[in-house]
Amino acid sequence: MTPESRADYFKERRKTIGQFSVSVPREKLDALTEALKRQGKSKTQWLNEKIDEEIGK
């Protein structure tokens, strides 16, 4: 991928995708990661479900 096309790709991506980042205690993160692994979900899938629940989708 050329640098220009990479830059264009990320410019377009930022128009539709945002980032959400928080710090949590390691023990909680490890427990969540393990629970999601058992459920076969990624953190992104899980967070999207929780956001949908919160906003009433």
Side-chain angles (χ1 to χ4, degrees):
M1 183 180 284
T2 65
E4 294 81 22
S5 63
R6 179 176 166 84
D8 291 339
Y9 167 80
F10 282 105
K11 183 186 286 187
E12 289 302 311
R13 181 177 163 88
R14 283 190 293 274
K15 290 179 182 178
T16 60
I17 303 291
Q19 282 194 294
F20 182 82
S21 177
V22 296
S23 297
V24 296
R26 173 60 63 188
E27 310 83 50
K28 284 187 175 185
L29 180 59
D30 291 344
L32 175 62
T33 301
E34 188 58 38
L36 294 176
K37 189 177 184 181
R38 286 191 302 269
Q39 296 173 29
K41 292 182 184 176
S42 69
K43 287 183 265 187
T44 301
Q45 288 172 311
W46 175 81
L47 183 57
N48 278 320
E49 289 174 7
K50 294 301 176 186
I51 291 170
D52 289 345
E53 287 175 18
E54 192 63 32
I55 63 176
K57 267 192 166 179

